[in-house]
Amino acid sequence: QQQVKQSPQSLIVQKGGISIINCAYENTAFDYFPWYQQFPGKGPALLIAIRPDVSEKKEGRFTISFNKSAKQFSLHIMDSQPGDSATYFCAASRENSNSGYALNFGKGTSLLVTP
Amino acid sequence: DAGITQSPRHKVTETGTPVTLRCHQTENHRYMYWYRQDPGHGLRLIHYSYGVKDTDKGEVSDGYSVSRSKTEDFLLTLESATSSQTSVYFCATRTGFSGNTIYFGEGSWLTVV
């Protein structure tokens, strides 16, 4: 079963707007939550990541908000640009060697930023 | 870029034939993974390795086997390819330290006809 649920499936935002993608998880043992960005024909690349001991992490125009009690986390892209148009994946993992640190991914959100 | 090379990058094969995809890394990362990506499913873990000759199954391992005889190489084999295995396959690696980035390769597009 899908361990990480992501929404929306697709998103259209005007240039300069805010893009918001949401994820929810069930397994309370997850303790590492990265977001990956993928352009067509390329492999996913790490965008930003957070641990559950903080509620927010910001890197440039990208912010992760984390709500441990609700088991939800979200990606906010401020001042969205056409170059941000890509597929975004949230993920979660258990940081212990028994699980091999493998990432459990959401199904992805296709973001289109219009000029 | 974590020095990950996947081969072949594109392959068309017939149903019932064996197929091997290769992942080569140059960073001496301990962990290696094979994921498949399909529309509507995101990325799903097939198998992973936590060292030479040490491998384990992931979420969608049926029909796949893996081998890791050297730190730098992780092979994914489809013993008898089926049309449901048409997908994009991504290799990924990371170090053994907690919280370190998982790096992905560029992908291998496999079509089974």
Side-chain angles (χ1 to χ4, degrees):
Chain A
Q1 70 279 16
Q2 195 85 21
Q3 296 201 56
V4 180
K5 296 183 179 180
Q6 182 172 348
S7 62
Q9 185 174 349
S10 63
L11 183 61
I12 300 175
V13 174
Q14 282 195 328
K15 179 181 176 181
I18 303 173
S19 304
I20 302 174
I21 305 170
N22 300 299
C23 285
Y25 64 97
E26 288 297 324
N27 190 342
T28 56
F30 288 150
D31 54 8
Y32 177 65
F33 302 90
W35 285 88
Y36 278 76
Q37 180 188 56
Q38 184 181 31
F39 293 104
K42 300 293 186 180
L46 180 68
L47 187 63
I48 186 173
I50 197 168
R51 293 190 175 279
D53 53 347
V54 297
S55 60
E56 185 174 284
K57 183 174 182 180
K58 183 176 181 179
E59 291 184 1
R61 295 184 295 108
F62 301 91
T63 300
I64 299 179
S65 297
F66 186 83
N67 186 330
K68 187 174 181 178
S69 61
K71 294 185 287 186
Q72 296 176 344
F73 58 109
S74 61
L75 176 69
H76 291 65
I77 305 175
M78 311 301 289
D79 187 26
S80 298
Q81 299 296 312
D84 297 330
S85 298
T87 299
Y88 293 81
F89 293 95
C90 62
S93 69
R94 296 175 58 187
E95 295 297 281
N96 65 73
S97 60
N98 289 337
S99 65
Y101 301 102
L103 289 171
N104 299 276
F105 284 90
K107 292 187 177 182
T109 297
S110 178
L111 171 66
L112 175 64
V113 181
T114 59
Chain B
D1 184 2
I4 300 171
T5 304
Q6 293 186 228
S7 60
R9 295 291 314 282
H10 298 271
K11 186 175 181 66
V12 179
T13 192
E14 293 186 348
T15 299
T17 60
V19 176
T20 295
L21 305 180
R22 179 180 183 242
C23 178
H24 179 80
Q25 55 126 340
T26 60
E27 298 297 317
N28 201 36
H29 285 174
R30 177 183 175 188
Y31 290 89
M32 298 185 75
Y33 311 85
W34 277 107
Y35 284 87
R36 61 177 288 174
Q37 184 174 20
D38 305 286
H41 290 277
L43 291 141
R44 293 179 292 174
L45 182 67
I46 304 172
H47 281 279
Y48 66 95
S49 170
Y50 47 97
V52 174
K53 291 184 169 52
D54 291 323
T55 65
D56 206 348
K57 296 179 179 180
E59 177 188 0
V60 289
S61 60
D62 287 348
Y64 302 95
S65 62
V66 291
S67 65
R68 193 170 178 197
S69 59
K70 297 184 290 185
T71 298
E72 59 265 36
D73 290 326
F74 192 33
L75 304 181
L76 176 71
T77 298
L78 290 66
E79 303 291 347
S80 178
T82 67
S83 59
S84 65
Q85 294 176 312
T86 292
S87 187
V88 184
Y89 292 87
F90 287 99
C91 175
T93 72
R94 71 176 286 176
T95 70
F97 298 104
S98 175
N100 277 25
T101 302
I102 288 184
Y103 297 94
F104 283 82
E106 295 283 88
S108 293
W109 274 253
L110 177 67
T111 301
V112 183
V113 297

